[in-house]
Amino acid sequence: MVQRPRKRDSGRGVWAGSEESGFSLVEVVVAVFIFAVLCTGALYTVVSVLQVSRDSRARHVAANLAAQEIDLARDATDLRLLTDIDRAEVRVGSDSYQVSRRAQWVSSSGADDPCGAGDGTLQYKRVNIEVRWSGMGDGTAPVRADTLIAPQSRAADADHGTILVSVRAASGAGSSGVTVTAQPASTPAGATSTVSAVTDAQGCAFLDRVVPGNYVVTAARAGFLDSAGSASPTQTTRVGAATSTSVAFEYDRAATFTVAYAPGVAGAVYLPGNLHTTFVAASGQPTVISPTATTGTTSRTRLQQMFPATSGYVVLAGRYTAPTSGGSAGCLSVDPAAWPTVGQGPGALVGIRPAPAAASPGGGVTANVPMGVLTLSALPAGGRLTATSATPPQGSGDPGCAQITSYSFGELTAPATIALPYGTWNLTSTAGTISPGSLTLLSGGVITPTPSATITLDPRAVTP
């Protein structure tokens, strides 16, 4: 407590003014707190004014940058060279700005695509500009500007046509640096010349002044594959005078799949040398890989280059073929998911496909491929072992395979462990009969006592 000084009364020898007076400590603290609140409010107001002023100045600069980018786009002499661009850092004073430009052709058919989709004449190009800056406040919208630019001349003149080529990577983005070539088809119908171009940053290539006729268009780049596994995919198109036609490819850097067969089986396991391997994508036709080797091998790992589908592939041992609406039964035995479920709940027998394996463009991944495995304790000496697909026994659950397939293991010495795709097989040897009693299944299935040693390799497992 603050006290006033007291005066001494010389007559009585005592201090005068002994009463307590002034500000208490609580009053001082309250006064300081009120002062701090007032200062904070004033400071917040000043900061808000400065922030608004800075945002207003930054937005004004961003608007000028957007207008400048629009002017640059309108000055383009060749609209085919006007593509997407991102200017990562444009310094103006102490601020950093990011300018993004997106450009898309719009054709007479109304299609909207970076490379000009569909047939018809390209009408104009739509350009969208967006500018952002460092320190943008929450909820602050970037500055945008848009324009439409018409070509100064027709892409296709009265006597020639144009081929618009779009090359897309697995992600759907444009694939740049791909060489696109158009050559007269086997039935040229007037086509006379060969023209080529390289795709730009949007994956677009424009083959102009093309003599009307039939052309085969090819995409090529080292280390690239299309979704069908082709290194040089082709398409045939018809080019007309004064019009444009479009061709689209899905083409990307190949991924490496390390295929591991019969995982989890200890010891040496022989595989057929001519074993098919099927890559089933989430969409599209299955891709069947047919090796050129004919003799068996104990190597259970093989490398395969594939298109890097974003959804990945289910990899199956054997030649899988889906049924068709035309009545073809296909080949379903090799697919565990095609085998019918027996029972319900815990204890049911269920066939489950292996998990999909996906790799990025230029990357790699391991794909485990389960197979049926059995051991032969006795074999005729000097004979070559062959497995041939057979009719499934009644009640086996095998969905069957309409294609007759034979796999060769070459000469084996017993005891030997072999792996085969799921399904029903007849085992034969060129040196004599194989006894069913010499066979032991290491995976699910049954052995039918027939002269050709028939086995059914069942992928289904008991659910927990």
Side-chain angles (χ1 to χ4, degrees):
M1 180 177 294
V2 180
Q3 297 182 347
R4 294 180 180 177
R6 292 175 292 175
K7 298 181 180 180
R8 184 179 179 85
D9 189 333
S10 57
R12 291 180 294 177
V14 297
W15 290 95
S18 59
E19 72 278 3
E20 295 181 353
S21 60
F23 296 105
S24 67
L25 181 59
V26 174
E27 292 173 322
V28 172
V29 171
V30 171
V32 171
F33 175 75
I34 294 174
F35 179 75
V37 170
L38 294 175
C39 288
T40 301
L43 181 61
Y44 178 79
T45 301
V46 172
V47 171
S48 298
V49 170
L50 292 176
Q51 181 65 33
V52 171
S53 177
R54 180 183 182 278
D55 285 348
S56 178
R57 182 177 65 254
R59 181 169 290 276
H60 180 72
V61 173
N64 288 336
L65 290 175
Q68 176 180 299
E69 195 66 35
I70 289 290
D71 290 339
L72 291 175
R74 289 172 176 167
D75 288 341
T77 56
D78 189 347
L79 288 188
R80 293 175 299 181
L81 303 180
L82 185 63
T83 59
D84 295 351
I85 192 172
D86 291 307
R87 306 187 193 280
E89 184 176 3
V90 179
R91 302 290 302 186
V92 179
S94 60
D95 293 325
S96 175
Y97 296 82
Q98 298 81 43
V99 182
S100 298
R101 181 180 72 199
R102 297 294 177 263
Q104 294 191 13
W105 281 106
V106 179
S107 69
S108 57
S109 62
D112 187 1
D113 185 89
C115 305
D119 295 334
T121 303
L122 297 178
Q123 296 289 78
Y124 54 82
K125 209 163 198 180
R126 187 178 67 243
V127 180
N128 307 106
I129 309 297
E130 181 179 280
V131 183
R132 296 177 175 271
W133 57 92
S134 58
M136 289 179 63
D138 294 338
T140 302
V143 171
R144 292 185 173 89
D146 308 291
T147 189
L148 300 175
I149 306 176
Q152 296 180 2
S153 59
R154 294 171 60 94
D157 59 39
D159 299 322
H160 300 84
T162 300
I163 303 176
L164 314 174
V165 184
S166 173
V167 182
R168 291 283 170 264
S171 63
S175 188
S176 62
V178 177
T179 300
V180 178
T181 304
Q183 296 177 310
S186 56
T187 305
T192 59
S193 58
T194 298
V195 291
S196 63
V198 178
T199 57
D200 57 25
Q202 291 179 308
C204 304
F206 302 94
L207 307 177
D208 53 5
R209 296 192 61 78
V210 178
V211 177
N214 297 329
Y215 287 85
V216 176
V217 183
T218 305
R221 185 176 179 183
F224 277 52
L225 293 174
D226 76 342
S227 55
S230 174
S232 300
T234 62
Q235 290 193 43
T236 301
T237 188
R238 169 71 181 174
V239 178
T243 62
S244 59
T245 184
S246 64
V247 174
F249 292 98
E250 194 175 20
Y251 196 55
D252 206 341
R253 190 177 303 278
T256 301
F257 285 75
T258 302
V259 183
Y261 300 92
V265 180
V269 179
Y270 285 89
L271 299 181
N274 58 337
L275 175 65
H276 297 92
T277 305
T278 304
F279 287 75
V280 183
S283 60
Q285 293 295 322
T287 302
V288 179
I289 307 300
S290 302
T292 56
T294 57
T295 58
T297 174
T298 56
S299 174
R300 284 191 276 164
T301 302
R302 298 179 184 175
L303 301 180
Q304 182 62 46
Q305 300 290 311
M306 293 293 295
F307 178 80
T310 55
S311 59
Y313 297 89
V314 172
V315 187
L316 305 174
R319 183 168 52 184
Y320 170 81
T321 306
T324 64
S325 57
S328 173
C331 187
L332 303 178
S333 298
V334 302
D335 182 8
W339 291 63
T341 299
V342 179
Q344 294 181 350
L349 288 175
V350 180
I352 301 176
R353 280 181 168 184
S360 59
V365 68
T366 297
N368 291 321
V369 182
M371 299 178 68
V373 183
L374 68 151
T375 297
L376 298 89
S377 59
L379 281 169
R384 293 187 298 276
L385 179 66
T386 300
T388 304
S389 58
T391 302
Q394 187 72 24
S396 66
D398 185 349
C401 182
Q403 299 170 333
I404 303 300
T405 304
S406 292
Y407 288 132
S408 174
F409 291 89
E411 295 185 10
L412 300 182
T413 301
T417 300
I418 66 173
L420 283 165
Y422 295 114
T424 301
W425 304 90
N426 287 334
L427 297 181
T428 58
S429 172
T430 57
T433 302
I434 298 175
S435 171
S438 67
L439 307 179
T440 302
L441 294 181
L442 302 183
S443 59
V446 295
I447 300 174
T448 304
T450 61
S452 58
T454 301
I455 58 172
T456 299
L457 299 173
D458 193 332
R460 294 173 294 187
V462 177
T463 56

